[in-house]
Amino acid sequence: MPGSPLISADELLTLLEIGVDIRLLDVRYRLDKPDGRDDYRAGHLPGAVYVDMDTELATHGAPSEGRHPLPSRATLQDAARRWGLHAGDAVVVYDDYRSVSAARAWWLLRGAGVRDIRVLDGGLSAWRAAELPLETGDVSPEPGSIVFDGMDEGISIDDAAAWPQRGVLLDARAPERYRGESEPFDPVAGHIPGAVNLPADAVLEGANFASPATIRAAFESAGVSDLTPAAAYCGSGLTAAHTALAGAVAGVEVVVYPGSWSQWSNTRGRPVATGAEPGA
């Protein structure tokens, strides 16, 4: 298993050039353009298979389940087989926006038992910046045979409510959303009482992840230490996985609350805190 969950464009190119068999997964997804297939077809890493966020890395449910409920084990396994995955395969995932959607794929697949999985640091922009080749059109590999015996489902809404009493609950959204000054997506503005804000920008340098030391310092500034259990949530559960990925880069274990604020704010009776402080 690789030591770091990240791989640079140059490192990936070297492995591909010497013939290492790597499954490449392209996870294009943005809130303003959920279906990234057209962008994928216009240019992707050679051999990369398109991954659909809404149908393969998430499912659809009631608002009280959040905007990106987890897929079932069977759904994820069927998707991974469509991508051509077999047991023991090396996998690299990437996207075109700060590795947020790639982190969701990384978190789900790692939790389902894929041990050799990494995220392309800087994503498609890093590959393009290095002037490396792209190909167009669809890639349809032979079906894989991978078997998932289970998957990491993160923590529940009740676990998230109680987490500040046993550790640090990190809110990975923008500060204005955490404070309750702005809420463009969910019915209520604010944050889970007791949560500490650690926006995704704090662990990034541009499109790339910051150094492990910088990321660790950001976690420490939020009260996370080696002796402090850490969990993360965001708006819909995607950036929370990104925070978990950042933690893995820095050697900090972070569990994910996948329902996140979209579930919390749509669940009757859940308290809401506002302002810059965690609240009671």
Side-chain angles (χ1 to χ4, degrees):
M1 186 175 182
S4 172
L6 302 178
I7 186 170
S8 71
D10 287 341
E11 290 170 332
L12 178 57
L13 178 65
T14 297
L15 293 176
L16 294 173
E17 286 182 335
I18 65 175
V20 177
D21 188 14
I22 298 176
R23 301 290 179 179
L24 299 174
L25 304 181
D26 184 309
V27 194
R28 306 284 182 100
Y29 173 85
R30 300 196 311 266
L31 283 173
D32 61 335
K33 191 177 182 182
D35 188 345
R37 194 179 296 273
D38 288 345
D39 291 334
Y40 160 82
R41 287 171 175 154
H44 54 79
L45 270 65
V49 178
Y50 177 70
V51 175
D52 186 87
M53 173 66 70
D54 283 340
T55 63
E56 296 182 314
L57 301 181
T59 188
H60 298 281
S64 60
E65 295 180 73
R67 284 198 304 281
H68 286 113
L70 298 184
S72 68
R73 180 203 57 79
T75 295
L76 184 63
Q77 179 177 280
D78 287 347
R81 290 179 174 183
R82 183 188 74 77
W83 309 330
L85 266 60
H86 299 275
D89 278 350
V91 181
V92 171
V93 296
Y94 71 92
D95 60 38
D96 60 352
Y97 183 69
R98 306 202 306 175
S99 297
V100 171
S101 51
R104 170 72 162 219
W106 168 84
W107 180 73
L108 280 173
L109 290 174
R110 188 185 67 157
V114 178
R115 296 187 58 79
D116 190 353
I117 180 164
R118 285 175 280 184
V119 172
L120 176 59
D121 195 18
L124 186 64
S125 62
W127 189 264
R128 284 175 167 156
E131 299 182 344
L132 298 176
L134 297 173
E135 70 177 15
T136 58
D138 284 309
V139 174
S140 299
E142 290 294 318
S145 60
I146 197 164
V147 174
F148 295 150
D149 293 328
M151 57 184 287
D152 183 358
E153 297 184 355
I155 63 172
S156 70
I157 190 171
D158 290 332
D159 293 332
W163 200 273
Q165 279 68 60
R166 62 183 295 259
V168 177
L169 180 64
L170 300 168
D171 183 318
R173 297 174 302 159
E176 62 273 15
R177 292 183 69 191
Y178 171 83
R179 294 192 297 263
E181 298 166 1
S182 171
E183 184 44 67
F185 307 111
D186 295 312
V188 179
H191 60 265
I192 297 174
V196 179
N197 192 209
L198 183 68
D201 287 346
V203 300
L204 293 171
E205 290 180 358
N208 293 72
F209 281 89
S211 69
T214 298
I215 294 172
R216 179 170 279 273
F219 277 104
E220 290 174 350
S221 72
V224 177
S225 71
D226 291 335
L227 301 177
T228 311
Y233 75 94
C234 56
S236 70
L238 304 190
T239 308
H242 185 271
T243 301
L245 174 57
V249 171
V252 178
E253 182 178 359
V254 180
V255 300
V256 172
Y257 167 34
S260 285
W261 187 249
S262 58
Q263 180 183 50
W264 187 278
S265 62
N266 277 289
T267 302
R268 186 185 301 274
R270 294 292 173 175
V272 173
T274 57
E277 298 301 320

